[in-house]
Structures are given as C-alpha cells and as structure tokens.
Amino acid sequence: MKSFYTILRYEIFALFISPSTYVAAFYFLSLLAIGFRFFIETFSNTDWLLPPLSSLVVGLLFGSPALIPFITMRCFAEERRLGTLETLFSAPVSSWTLVLGKWFGCFVFFLIISTLALCYPLLLIIMFPEQGSNLGFNEIENWIGSTLYLLIFGATFIAIGVFSSSITKNQMVAGMLTFTLLTAYLSIMVFSFGNQTSNTYYTISQKLSDGLFGTYINGLDKFGQFSVGLIDLSTILNQLVLTIFFLILSTIQIERLNN
Amino acid sequence: MSAENKPLPIIEVVNLKKSFGRIQALKGVSFSIGKGEIVGFLGPNGAGKSTTLRILSGLIPADAGEAKVCGVDLAQEEGLVRNHIGYLPENNPLPEDLRVIEYLRFRALLKGLEGSRLKERIKVVLDICDLERKISERKIGNLSKGYRQRVGIADSLLAEPRLVILDEPTIGLDPHQSAVTRKMMERLRGEVSFLLSSHILSEVEACCDRMIILSHGQIVAEGSLYELQKRFVNKTIFQIDASGNKIDIQKRIRSIDRTCELIQDDPVEVSGKRRYNFSTEQGEQIAERIIRTLLEEKNIRISGFQIRRPDLETIFLRATKKNWEKHDFLNRNKI
Ligand SMILES: Nc1ncnc2c1ncn2[C@@H]1O[C@H](COP(=O)(O)OP(=O)(O)OP(=O)(O)O)[C@@H](O)[C@H]1O
Ligand SMILES: [Mg+2]
C-alpha cells in the first residue's frame, strides 16, 4: 500500500514536470472554454434536450482522444525506453501496484483537468447567478450525475491509455494507439446510440449480468439519465469491469516483459 | 580463503538453469559467496552473467536449481529477496527528468525508508558515492556517465543492504571514475558483500577477493587470483611478437614442444605482425630452444619474445577458450 502511494506521487510529479502535458491541458481547456461559451450563447436556439451542464461532459468525453494520450502515453513507454522498469522491480514493488499507481496518477491528472473544466459553469453561476440558474447550473443532482458519468468513463479511458503505453517503447505509438482505441470506442457508442433493445429486466441476476457484460456499447444512451441525476448502476459496473480488464491486461504485459 | 573458515554464505547457488526460448543461457551454475566478500563475475559477452545476477536479485525466475540469497529461497519467495539486496542493472537505467535528490527520495520511499532514517540514509549514500550537494540538485538526464553511475550505486546502497549486486558498474567510465567505485567498495568492505560483473579484468584484479569465470552458461574457473594463478602456474606463458604465417609458427613450435598451446593471437601492427601467447607445461627451459628455432626460420621474423607469469587476462582467455572452442564449430579445426 505504501509503495502504491509512492508510485502515485511520483507519477503525478512526473506529469507535472513534463511540458507536454501542460501544453496539451492548456489547449484542451482553452478549446473547451470556447466551445462551452459558444454553446451557452446559442443554447436557447438548439434542440438540446439535456441540461446545459451535460454539454461540458460531452465535450470532455469526446475531446478526450485529444487529451488522454498526452496524459498516459508516457507512463510505461518511457520506462520501457529507458529500461527503468528493471530498476523499479529491483525494489520491493509488485507489477499490480505499479500499474494501479500509474493509472491512478493519470486519473488524478484527468480529475484536475475535469475540475478546471467544471469551473466554467461554476464561475458562471457565481458571477451571474441569475443566468446560471436559468441554465440549470444550480441543480445539484445534475452536477452529481454528470460528474459521476465523467469519472467512470475517464477511468476506463485512462486504463485504455495505460494499457497502450505498456505495449510499446515508443511514446508516439502509445499515444496514437490510445487515440485510435478511444475514437473507436466512442464511435461504437455513437453508432449504437438510440437502438437500445429493451429496458425491462425481470430478475436481479439478469440485470447483474447485463451490468457486467451487456451494455458497454450503450453507454451514451445512459448519459441522458446520468445528466439529470439518475444514476444507473449497471453502467458504473460496466465501466468498472472494463477498467479493471485493461489494468489486468497491462499488468500481464508488464510481467511478461520481465522474463 | 579455504572452505572451513568461510563465513556463512550470503549467496548459495546450486545447479541454476535458465533458458530463453531455445537459447540456454545458464546450464547449471553452482557457487557460493560468503558474508563480506567482494566477488567478481567474469565472462565473455553473452556468457550469462547478467542472467545470473537478475535471477539472484529476484527479477526473473530460474528454470531449475536452487538459489538462496540472504537466507531467502528464491524459488519460494523471490519477491522477498529484494528487501535485502541492492541491485544496479546493466546499463544503469535512470529516469531522465528527475533531479538526483528527488530520484533517491523516491527510491528510498519505495524501499520502505521513512522520516529521519530516510533523510539520514540519503545523506550517507550521497557521501559514500561522492555526490556533492551541487550535483544532487541537477537533473539526472544532464549528468555525465560517471555521475550517473554514482547515482545508480547510491540507489543500490540506500536501504543498507547486506548484499549489493552490480552489473558492470565500471563500464564506460574513465580510470578516475572507476577508482571512485573501487574506493567505495573498499570503504564498505566487510559490512557489505559485493557481487559485480565486469569485462575490465584489471578492475576485478584490483578489488575482488575472488572471481568466478563464466563462459557459455557454465562456470569454468573460480577462486582468488592467487589460486587461479596456482592452477595455471605449472604452465609457462610465452609472448611472441612475430610476422609470418600463423600455421607455420604453430607447426614449428609444436614440433619442439608438443604441450605448447596457443592461447591467443592478436594483430599488433597493420604490417601483419601478430602477438602470440603460448602456454607450455615444459617450463622456462624450453624457451631458449623455441626462440632459437624460430629465429632460424626464413619466413618468420621475430621482433619480441617474453616469458610471463599468467595474469588474469591470460587466465581468463585460457579458461574461456576451451569452452569457446567447443561451441565455435567454424574455428574448431583451424586451431
Ligand atoms: N530476455 C532475453 N531473451 C532472450 N535471450 C536472452 C535474454 N536475456 C539474455 N538472453 C540470452 O542469454 C544469453 C546470456 O545473456 P546475458 O545477458 O546473461 O550475458 P552477459 O554475460 O551479461 O553478456 P554481456 O557481457 O554482453 O552483458 C545470451 O545469449 C543472450 O542472448
Ligand atoms: Mg551483461
């Protein structure tokens, strides 16, 4: 457990001293701010049904292929290039701890950027309370639902990035692979948007099995519920399983490297 | 050091084997290292030195055989051994964008040091490895090779290990820098056991109590320099600088002394002059006859002749050559 914290701290530190993450975060947040501003101004003319806050989450998620590679590409690819994995394992550290620590470090960085992004509506409601509440930025359940949705998908995406980074020595390749995988995942979700077959479950076990395996591609459908504060457990479970799956894959990959 | 008064072994390896796919990197290696000893691990490239050291430091599992390091059986708890040893990997990989002091703090935390002990240990290892304050504030990526190596060694000493395994600690260092490494080991002699691999024989000769020579995954010689010399001392070594046909020279010498054996030949000049090292069991008396015969040969020109005591290099070449011949099928009938 202690080595987990050490690795976590080291990973966050490494992210903070690397200029590429700053540049990426800066551009990402700026673009998001411009998009958000534009969206808020034209909101009354769009046929967007969900609360306006959701636009930010959608922006963050669909923009993530441009952000997450910059956060995760370094984590294992750089260690592999320099050969420092061997030094790491000469200390009493397990590969699972290492993967988990690195994943969580990247996740914390993602959280920081998300928090900064979520400051836009927060600032809006503080500075212009009236317009803010008109847009529904003061409804706490929207905040909880949207944030949770963002967190669980962010966790999965970061895990995908960590995995991509573990299979190559080249940061660029790791970044491209992350980009491709995330884009593919998002596209599948978009294409399957709206054709959810049935929403009625008869038994708990059916619901559970569906939660574990069934609805990965329908994540976007669930967004409507999350954005108004209706939390769907099966989606959370889905993403959790997917996250753990990719983390286990990374661990296996790292262990394989050692022999 | 004889077997009786050897202190409790800190490493005990019996019949260790390891294969990578079809390559048999270790074919049954057995040795033991006592507490406080400094042992040099020698061998040509690809002999399996790094593989052995990586197995001993718990990084990779062995296929077969027993290995006990600091009383920990590697087969059962390979992870546990990492608490007791310091390990410097081959090529000394280090993260480039951390400062020395940050890196050492990170490593110390990973190794379970805390609070005042952590601070004290970092101070101690910085001192042992001659890393001044100014250097410790610099980024590792900007350091020279010598300082990088010191950082690697400082890291391996952090947790006060009883055994330190260094894989080629002096590779690529100037004589000054490798002297620093030697001094460091001298300073810790007795408290810490060292196992280091190297190609630089004079290094090993200077600082190791004992050496183990490995070739093609097997131990071919083992002992202190004195012991090794004794084993080879009944052989006399001639060094002949000559130009002429190699086969002719060998034939001439063999005709005088059948026990004479070519250990090594190197070109000395572009002109085709070569330096031959022969070993013979006949002693020094035969030398005069050999040189006289060679001088009479028309197509052989001698420019130097010397009788030497076998140094580590000769021992090394001798010990690894037999083994080499066995595997080098192309050269086999040439010699
Ligand atoms: N991970 C690996 N995969 C496949 N083969 C390997 C691996 N590691 C080592 N080998 C092989 O095992 C043999 C021994 O390698 P090892 O690195 O132990 O040699 P070495 O004595 O350290 O050589 P050097 O002096 O060049 O460092 C070599 O033939 C090498 O090709
Ligand atoms: Mg090696």
Side-chain angles (χ1 to χ4, degrees), chain A residues 12 47 78 94 109 114 131 143 161 192 198 217-218 224 255 258:
Chain A
I12 294 173
D47 47 3
E78 180 76 354
S94 73
F109 204 82
S114 305
Q131 279 135 318
W143 278 87
S192 56
S198 79
I217 56 171
N218 289 325
E255 298 234 300
N258 256 342

Side-chain angles (χ1 to χ4, degrees), chain A residues 2-3 6-7 9-10 13-14 17-18 74 78 81-94 257-259, chain B residues 18 20 54 59-61 79 82-83 87 89-90 93-98 102-103 106-107 109-114 155:
Chain A
K2 242 183 68 197
S3 52
T6 311
I7 290 168
R9 265 174 48 189
Y10 164 69
F13 182 72
I17 59 173
S18 135
R74 233 195 71 267
E78 180 76 354
R81 185 176 69 81
L82 295 171
T84 39
L85 273 181
E86 185 152 338
T87 339
L88 269 177
F89 286 124
S90 70
V93 183
S94 73
L257 282 179
N258 256 342
N259 290 294
Chain B
K18 176 80 188 174
F20 295 102
R54 291 176 69 202
L59 280 172
I60 53 172
R82 302 178 199 163
N83 292 323
Y87 171 63
E90 194 166 21
L94 295 171
E96 283 174 350
D97 40 15
L98 289 186
E102 289 162 356
Y103 176 67
F106 166 62
R107 296 292 300 173
L109 283 168
L110 268 191
K111 291 178 180 184
L113 302 182
E114 276 174 329
D155 163 38

Side-chain angles (χ1 to χ4, degrees), chain B residues 30-45:
Chain B
S30 313
F31 63 92
S32 78
I33 291 174
K35 215 171 146 196
E37 267 191 301
I38 301 182
V39 176
F41 223 51
L42 300 173
N45 291 118

Side-chain angles (χ1 to χ4, degrees), chain B residues 2-58:
Chain B
S2 69
E4 295 86 58
N5 58 21
K6 210 182 267 177
L8 206 72
I10 201 151
I11 297 184
E12 214 172 356
V13 174
V14 181
N15 204 14
L16 206 64
K17 288 183 183 159
K18 176 80 188 174
S19 305
F20 295 102
R22 253 193 269 144
I23 304 169
Q24 239 189 323
L26 294 179
K27 305 168 187 162
V29 169
S30 313
F31 63 92
S32 78
I33 291 174
K35 215 171 146 196
E37 267 191 301
I38 301 182
V39 176
F41 223 51
L42 300 173
N45 291 118
K49 302 181 296 289
S50 302
T51 308
T52 316
L53 298 185
R54 291 176 69 202
I55 291 173
L56 291 180
S57 49

Side-chain angles (χ1 to χ4, degrees), chain B residues 247 250 325 328-335:
Chain B
I247 312 253
Q250 272 193 74
E325 270 176 5
D328 200 355
F329 297 107
L330 287 177
N331 283 338
R332 199 184 203 177
N333 32 18
K334 256 199 332 202
I335 297 170

Side-chain angles (χ1 to χ4, degrees), chain B residues 136-189:
Chain B
S136 70
E137 296 292 333
R138 284 179 49 189
K139 283 219 167 113
I140 295 175
N142 301 336
L143 291 181
S144 73
K145 221 173 189 170
Y147 279 114
R148 283 174 60 97
Q149 206 71 13
R150 292 190 207 182
V151 174
I153 293 173
D155 163 38
S156 69
L157 293 173
L158 266 176
E160 281 187 278
R162 286 188 285 157
L163 168 70
V164 176
I165 295 178
L166 307 170
D167 202 345
E168 301 189 9
T170 52
I171 198 164
L173 299 192
D174 67 48
H176 217 72
Q177 296 287 343
S178 42
V180 172
T181 314
R182 268 209 308 278
K183 244 194 278 170
M184 179 275 298
M185 285 194 285
E186 251 347 286
R187 206 172 139 179
L188 295 171
R189 183 184 279 273

